[in-house]
Amino acid sequence: MSDRLLVGTRKGLFSIERHASGRWHIGQHWFAGDPVSMLLGHDQNPRYLAALDLGHFGVKLHRSNDAGTSWSEIPTPAYPAKPDELEDKDPVRGVDIPWNTRLIWSLESGATPDELWCGTIPGGLFYSRDGGDNWELNRSLWDDPRRGKWMGGGYDFAGIHSILVDPRDPRHVTLGVSVGGVWTTRDAGHNWQLLGKGLRNVYMPPELAEDPVSQDAHRIVQCPGRPERLWMQHHNGIFRSDDAGENWQELVDVPPSSFGFAVAVHPGEPDTAWFVPATKDEKRFPVDARLVVTRTLDGGKNFDILQRGLPDESAYDLVYRHGLDVSRDGERLAMGSTTGSLWISEDQGDSWQLVSSHLPPVLCVRFT
Amino acid sequence: MATLSFTPNLLRHVPTPSARIAGATVHQVLDNYFQGNPEVRTYVLDDQGMVREHVTIFVNQEMIRDRHGLTDQVNEHDEIFVMQALSGG
């Protein structure tokens, strides 16, 4: 059971601790004042990673080997020198894609805790085999000419926000790219395949609506107990895959909205998934200002609207793509919003406990 | 040797002691400084070795012109300042 939650915010990294009474409260506050764009922690390993976005001074990566008691800076994934003659431009705006780590947007462990995958904006995937002491850009994906069609969405440049490492075979890794579709490798990154049959967008010309590389996956999650099952919160709706991303089925008419950013799947029950809906798509706050969580228990045939413990009054909280997490036993959920509210549920979302409504904007949450 | 110093805003993240450093260009001075203070490099330069977008460097009272190659000349007794560019409101 996870009794500690890590919360990356616009103003630092917090630990949220469960008291014996069942109440959760703010514990530690690390990197006070600095944006923490991504973090990695595990309940069976005291190693934490925290990615800082220092603005003027760039992206930095810190590691703790003692569950946050002490931290030290480690190398940040860095892009190689860009060849002078190479043209590498954003296809929409025609501006040069920076060969610089602008943001660390995803961090996941591989087969062992020392193996790490890191997804960045502007779209580079990095790998470390030594816990982050050294990083290597995955050149086969970065040099793939199909990357030339990736484009920025919410950020100026494309980025990798979801990294799914197959628990049965860590050489099988699947990525979610915004905006650039779903990519998978079966050989630890030597070769990449673009997936996504059945995905659909409405922001491109109609003949390109099903073009897999133009799909804006907001977030993809994988059920560890049945890794073929993926859930996606897409810019245009909610999708489910039963074959590890080859084919997708759109779930339509999901109340109150199928727009959002976050999705979580139960680790052992592939038909159980949670979403946090918002008003599509420029408004981006809860439908009718009523914050709810939606949950399906049957693979998307039906959705429950969960709101016990969530605000009765008008709420404008947006839960961003890494702002929702589920514990390893599938019982607890955590949800943090861009307006600095944090809730935890201990009953799969049936009811929610407000931890704080005064945190900085929440960027990512993870049970450890 | 020129004197190299840094914005105090960096001290929250990394030690940046001022130092007298040899070098005929800004690039040479920074390179020599980073040899003794390697952890400072990525706070000043980006992955491509350019001055970070929101960092600026002055030689005496003049902002450097070559943010890519850092070829601006440095003379004996010059003072080099690595500053945080103003932004925001």
Side-chain angles (χ1 to χ4, degrees), chain B:
Chain B
M1 289 195 289
T3 301
L4 176 63
S5 54
F6 296 82
T7 168
N9 291 334
L10 264 174
L11 287 174
R12 194 160 67 83
H13 306 294
V14 63
T16 51
S18 297
R20 290 183 57 76
I21 304 288
T25 64
V26 172
H27 181 272
Q28 289 178 6
V29 170
L30 286 178
D31 236 23
N32 289 335
Y33 183 85
F34 294 149
Q35 285 183 22
N37 302 272
E39 66 281 3
V40 180
R41 176 184 292 271
T42 66
Y43 288 82
V44 178
L45 305 180
D46 67 17
D47 298 0
Q48 301 301 308
M50 292 179 60
V51 180
R52 286 200 172 278
E53 189 175 0
H54 297 296
V55 169
T56 189
I57 299 175
F58 284 82
V59 177
N60 300 324
Q61 284 78 45
E62 290 290 326
M63 202 179 299
I64 65 168
R65 303 172 69 90
D66 182 6
R67 295 172 59 85
H68 194 172
L70 301 166
T71 55
D72 295 62
Q73 288 200 340
V74 174
N75 298 310
E76 190 79 11
H77 308 303
D78 277 353
E79 294 189 346
I80 304 174
F81 299 96
V82 176
M83 307 297 290
Q84 175 176 330
L86 287 176
S87 62

